[in-house]
Each structure stands twice: as structure tokens, then as C-alpha cells.
Amino acid sequence: PKGDPTVHVFHRRGNRRDKNIRPLNLAGHVGFDSLPDQLVNKSICQGFCFNILCIGETGIGKSTLMDTLFNTNFENFESSHFEPQVKLRAQTYDLQESNVRLRLTVVNTVGFGDQMNKQESYQPVVDYIDRQFESYLQEELKIKRSLHNYHDSRVHACLYFISPSGHSLKSLDLVTMKKLDSKVNIIPVIAKADTISKSELHKFKIKIMSELVSNGVQIYQFPIDDETVAKVNTSMNGHLPFAVVGSTEEVMLGTKMVKARQYPWGIVQVENESHCDFMKLREMLICVNMEDLREQTHTRHYELYRRCKLEEMGFKDTDPECKPVSLQETYEAKRQEFLLELQRREDEMRQMFVQRVKEKEAELKEAERELQSRFEQLKRLHADEKATLEDKKKALEDDQVSFSKRRAAAQLLQGQSLTANGKKDKDRKK
Amino acid sequence: DLELEIPVLHEVPPPLGPLYGEKHSAPVVDFSYVGIDAILEQMRRKAMKQGFELNIMVVGQSGLGKSTLMNTLFKSKVSRKSVLATAQEKIPKTIEIKSISHDIEEKGVRMKLTVIDTPGFGDQINNENCWQPIMRFINDQYEVYLQEEINIDRKKRIPDSRVHCCIYFIPPTGHCLRPLDVEFMRRLSKVVNIVPVIAKADTLTLEERDFFKQKIREELRANGIDVYPQKEFDEDEEDRMINEKIREMIPFAVVGSDQEYQVNGRRLLGRKTKWGTIEVENIAHCEFAYLRDLLIRTHMQNIKDITSTIHYEMYRVRRLNENNTGGGNISPLQLNSSSTLELT
């Protein structure tokens, strides 16, 4: 039984409707309308991640714009114009507004556009973006993984700062944006827009957009499929690229302090929509489309990277007609390969080890033998000396014996001669 | 290396937002609001647009009121009662797994609800291994999801047919769990969120009910069976407090009904008997309302999260490690991207 026709009205937008699923009327309040709240509550507990990449020449105002956008003072380093190569500097901050915690990473290029030869300038940027994708891919492919805890460092939005020349895009701009448009959501902005007059600005914007189109550069389009935001997004799409002015300094205007740049000829107010498009940028980037930027990064740019990377590594999906060569099977085949290699290395190492042990053993045995023979030698010497000493001792003893014999004999003789002399005397006296 | 600084966490510099306004000696700046919290609304919009999916399985012997309970929970005929029409129809020889989906919508929130019925469970004379087909079905859903996930060219939104929650119906004997119950829950609680309920609880008095529940909780503990909400998945103190209260009350003693009766001037869902009308949504009569609140109004997202981040991930680890005798976390893909191998 088909459902009430009015029920279908709500299902119109569902593009994943199976034909076999019947819509059903509910006879009362069930309560799953709280699901979006449950989902949002979970996200509040977890916090959000957002990563912005700013590409632009040195001194064009990237850091100032970030400070102005987020109403805070990020740590800023003034860069020199003499960097030999383009580098990227990434800094992460924890911000909070009411109950929403945001982990914001701001990545700035350093030395972009300063080199004499700018042919390779785009490469470090592409490499950085790819590295973040790679890092996520590695986590996703791990066996034991924790994706829901993973700090997502993939670039969600790329603000490309165009110099306010008033004429057209530089070839560096075109080349760089072309290299990046399939990897990241590009939002071009015209920096330091207070140096261009209103009429020049209008012409400049048109020129930029037509150059982008004719060069096939796909910049990020604010989504127009959701009716709640379609209107504002469509209108904003027509204002691209946003002409921005950044300032963290405040100037007194009437009774209020406003963020502005003060010139002798007037005050450019950052948050005044008739002065520049700053408010539009903040609205689009943060208030309306932050989630869509994150989603596009994940479902489009990251998927493309993943597909290319895996194909490059030799995995492939199925042919429609034959059995699916799934990632799973290739995974397993590669694992076997890996384990065999591991085994081989292990055997090699074990052999080496055994060899070394043998050698060492031989060495030690040799040393032992030597030691043993030394010992024998010393023992012999010792025995010889001892024998010599014994002989000497014996000789000494013999001497002693003969000496004492001689002494005894001598004493005896002496005694005898004394008695003989005494007798002689006695005889004389008589 | 091309990066000057490894991304490092800095503690909050001047906080933003109207709650923490900046202090000036001069008149206050109006525009201190950035708009970061608008992301909540953006998320809500996206969720409403995409719609939600929920897959609930009901397991229990026939006649315990599984279909009626589902219909009561979702206030519509999401499940058809399996009444044996004639005496010729025999009790099924095997367990079937029947999956029926419906699109329902409430206040702009669209949901694809799939109720998976398991007729034949526990109905045979020999019920050994009756948990097997169900386990197989659950793992098959994980497998389907995994296959899509590891495709090179994969869908933007992988269709989720994984069983988020399995409601197990315990017959109201009033004594204790039967070996069938213990065996089933012990095995299945390792792969899916199990919510045990005491079916047809209107046959138990309040004292009998409390005694039965206590016995059941003891037996679950003694057998090491972790039913939803599992203790080990409590995220923080707040979570633990809320979940402890629930754990002290499970299994919920439920009564289902899709008939309305007039009670005290109001039309209520209930069961009418000669000795009174049991009001299904009255918590003094039965605990249906608690079950409904848990499953739908407060913990639905959590149930889905636990399925995807824990049960599914465990299946994935097991599956990807199947041919690996060494075990561990080696991803063969690291072999290609780095030129050195590390032996542990």
C-alpha cells in the first residue's frame, strides 16, 4: 500500500531512495526527530577541526586577514623577501565560541612569489596538501585504526590572495590555481582592496573570473542545492572573488570603535559592506559553508587522491564481468609478499648472527689456547726456578752441615789443646 | 623539510564570542562575534537533508510479541505479525532472517528504518547453534560494508545495513535465564549491541518483575555478558552516571500494543483485560517508555556510533588479520612507500 501522497512531498529530495522501500505514516509522536540533536551534541563533545591554507605573496596581508576573520591575534612572523624557496608554515589553535570548540589550523606560504624563477613555486603547496591526504589515507588503511579520534589536518579551504593590480591575474596565479583546483577548495580573494576604486574593482573581478573560466580553473562554488541557503549562496557566487581589507586596528567612528584603516583621505571600515567584501567572506567561509567545505574535501578531493594513490600502488577494482579483484585480495597478496620478505630478512640476519658467533668463538678459542700455552711456559719456568732454588738450598744446607761439623771438630781440637796445655803447666809446677 | 613548524597546539589566545566579550575602556565593539557556532546549524541542515538509517533486529521465540513491540515503538506497521494461518503450516525448520525497510519521517527528519526479524529462533526441538545464522547475518552486513569501504571507487555514502541494535526477548518465566538465552547473548554481545527485554511483562507482578530482573542481571554478570550500554564504552563521568542508571534498570519489562483504548477520557495504547487496562506508555504499568526513550530519543546516535566505531572496527581487524599469522598492525602498504623495513 502506497503512503499518503502528502507524505511523498517530504521524500522528494532523497536521492538514495530504493524502489522497494515503502513510506509509512506514523500514528503518533515517536521521538526520532531528536536525532539531529543527538548528532549535534556528539559533535559538540568531540569538537571540530578546520584547516585554512593561505597562498599569497609576501606582505599581501594573509596574516592580517586571518586575525581579522577570527577576531584574534595569531602568532605572526614577518617574513623576509629573500627566501630561496617557497615554504609553508602551519600553526594550530584551539578556539571556542559559546559551546563550540574549534581546532583551527592556519597554513601560510612563506616566500611565495619572491623568487626570480617561480616555476616550481606551486610544488611545496601541492606537496603539503598531498602529505595531509596521505596521512589520512595511512590512518584509514591501518588495521587497528581510530578514525574518529584522528586529528584531521587536510586542507578544507584555500584562500588565494590576488594582488590588487587592477588589470588581470598573473601567470603565477593561474598556474598555481590550476595545479590546486582538483586538490582543494579554492576561494580567490583580492587582497588590499582599498587600493582599487569601485569601478576598477568591478572590471577587475569580471576579468579575473573570465580568465579563470577560460583557463579551466575550478574554484569552489558555494552550494546551491539546499533551499535554505541557495539564495544567499547564489548571490555570493556572483560576488567572487571577494575584495577584502584586513585590519586589527580600531578607529573611532562616531561613537563606536570599528576595525578600520585610517588614511588622510578617509577611513576604510573592514566590516562595512559598501567598503569591502570582508563580511561576505566571513559569512561564506564560516557562518554558512564551513561544513560543506569540510564535506567536499572529504568526499571529493580526498576520494580523488585516494583513488589515484591506490591505483598508482597497483591496486585495482573489479572488471564488471570477472571476479572482483578487491583491494582485500591485493592487500592479502601484498601482505604475503611482505611477510616472505620479512622472513627472508630474518633468516639473513640469523645467518649473519650465527656466522659472527662462530667467528667470535674461534677467536676466543685461539686466545684461550694462547693463554694456555703461556701458562704452561710460565709454569715450566717457575718449576725450573724452583728446582734451581732447591738445589741452592740444598747446597747451602750441605755447607751448613759441613760448617757445623768443622766447627764442632775445631772446638774439640781447641778443647783438647787447652787441656793439654793445662796439664803441661801443672807438670812444670811440680 | 619544507614546513617551518610542526603543527603545535597553542592554548586559547583571546577567546571569542559574546560570552567572552573583549574589554575596552572605550565604548564596546559591536562585532566581536565570528560565527563559528553556526557550524552546528550547518551540521543539522546537512543531517536533515541526508536522512538517517537505523537497523534493528528482533530475536526471540515466536509468540513473545516482537512484531507488536516494533509497531508500538514506531507507531506504525513496520513489522508484520507472523501468525500461522492454518494447521498445515509447520513451524519453520530453520531460522529465517527477514529484513523489511520503511521510510518514516517526523518533523522533517527522515529515517530509513529496517526491522530484521528472525522467525524460527528457539522454536525447534534442538536449538543448538541457533545463534549461528544470526551471527552470520550480522557478520555479512559488516562484510558488505567493508567491501564497499575498501573499493577504490567507492560510493560517497556507503549504504549502512549493519545491525545497530539487537533486541532480545526474554520470556517472562520469572525465574532466571535459560541456557538458550545465556548462550545467545554471550556470543552475540561480542559483535552487536544487545538490548534484552522481558517480553509480555504483564504476566508478572511488580515484585516478581524486580526479582526476575535482579536474577537476570546477576546471571549476565556471572557469564561475563556485556549488554548495551556496555561499561567499557562509557566515555566520561557524565556518560557513566547516565549509563549506570540504565544498567540498574535493564532488562526493561515491556508490554506492546497497537490498539488504543479510552482511559480516563484519553485515548491510550493499551491492552484491555477483564481486570483492567494496561497502559503501555505508563511507567507505573510497564517500562516500555524507558525502552523507547533509550532506543530512540536519547541513545540512538550512540548505538549507531558504537556499532560503527567498535563492533565494525573489531570485525575489520579480525578480517584483515585473517591470513596474517604474525598478527599486529603491519599495513603492507607501508612496504611500498618507504624503502626501509623495520623488524620488531
Side-chain angles (χ1 to χ4, degrees), chain B residues 56-73 78-82 96 115-123 167-170 197 199-200 254 256-257:
Chain B
I56 302 188
M57 179 184 264
V58 283
V59 180
Q61 285 170 297
S62 43
L64 283 181
K66 305 190 291 290
S67 304
T68 313
L69 186 70
M70 281 294 107
N71 293 344
T72 321
L73 263 177
V78 290
S79 194
R80 254 179 309 136
K81 293 186 228 193
S82 51
E96 284 174 71
V115 177
I116 304 149
D117 202 352
T118 54
F121 176 84
D123 285 339
I167 305 183
Y168 187 76
F169 287 71
I170 301 171
V197 296
K200 300 203 161 172
V254 296
S257 165

Side-chain angles (χ1 to χ4, degrees), chain A residues 17 30 37 70 97 128, chain B residues 3 16 36 42 44 103 106:
Chain A
R17 293 251 289 128
V30 175
D37 288 326
F70 290 99
E97 185 165 68
Y128 177 85
Chain B
E3 278 172 303
L16 315 153
I36 295 177
Q42 298 170 35
R44 197 186 304 264
D103 268 340
E106 188 169 64

Side-chain angles (χ1 to χ4, degrees), chain B residues 57 97 99 116 132-142 161 163:
Chain B
M57 179 184 264
I97 312 266
S99 182
I116 304 149
Q132 260 173 5
I134 297 173
M135 180 87 121
R136 197 164 33 237
F137 177 82
I138 293 176
N139 283 332
D140 283 347
Q141 307 317 304
Y142 290 145
S161 64
V163 178

Side-chain angles (χ1 to χ4, degrees), chain B residues 201 204-213 283-286:
Chain B
L204 298 169
T205 64
L206 291 182
E207 293 85 16
E208 286 167 350
R209 178 203 295 179
D210 284 338
F211 174 76
F212 192 25
K213 286 215 262 185
I283 52 173
H285 289 198
C286 78

Side-chain angles (χ1 to χ4, degrees), chain A residues 129-234:
Chain A
I129 294 175
D130 279 347
R131 264 205 304 281
Q132 311 316 309
F133 283 148
E134 182 63 29
S135 186
Y136 190 91
L137 182 63
Q138 286 301 328
E139 182 65 29
E140 194 188 6
L141 288 172
K142 271 202 195 136
I143 297 185
K144 282 206 187 79
R145 59 189 189 178
S146 58
L147 277 177
H148 59 287
N149 271 340
Y150 179 77
H151 171 223
D152 189 3
S153 60
R154 299 173 294 183
V155 178
H156 300 124
C158 169
L159 292 180
Y160 193 94
F161 288 70
I162 300 170
S163 282
S165 64
H167 298 163
S168 64
L169 285 173
K170 301 193 183 141
S171 39
L172 174 65
D173 297 338
L174 280 168
V175 164
T176 310
M177 282 200 268
K178 193 87 179 82
K179 290 278 179 193
L180 295 177
D181 69 354
S182 58
K183 292 192 178 285
V184 74
N185 300 315
I186 300 183
I187 302 177
V189 296
I190 300 172
K192 300 197 168 179
D194 52 348
T195 58
I196 316 182
S197 75
K198 221 178 174 115
S199 52
E200 281 175 348
L201 186 62
H202 187 61
K203 278 196 233 134
F204 190 28
K205 282 193 185 186
I206 294 181
K207 187 79 177 31
I208 291 175
M209 290 310 276
S210 71
E211 278 192 324
L212 288 175
V213 165
S214 58
N215 280 281
V217 175
Q218 304 265 26
I219 59 171
Y220 175 73
Q221 292 291 308
F222 304 120
I224 51 176
D225 48 356
D226 184 342
E227 59 192 8
T228 11
V229 293
K231 195 150 165 258
V232 66
N233 276 346
T234 322

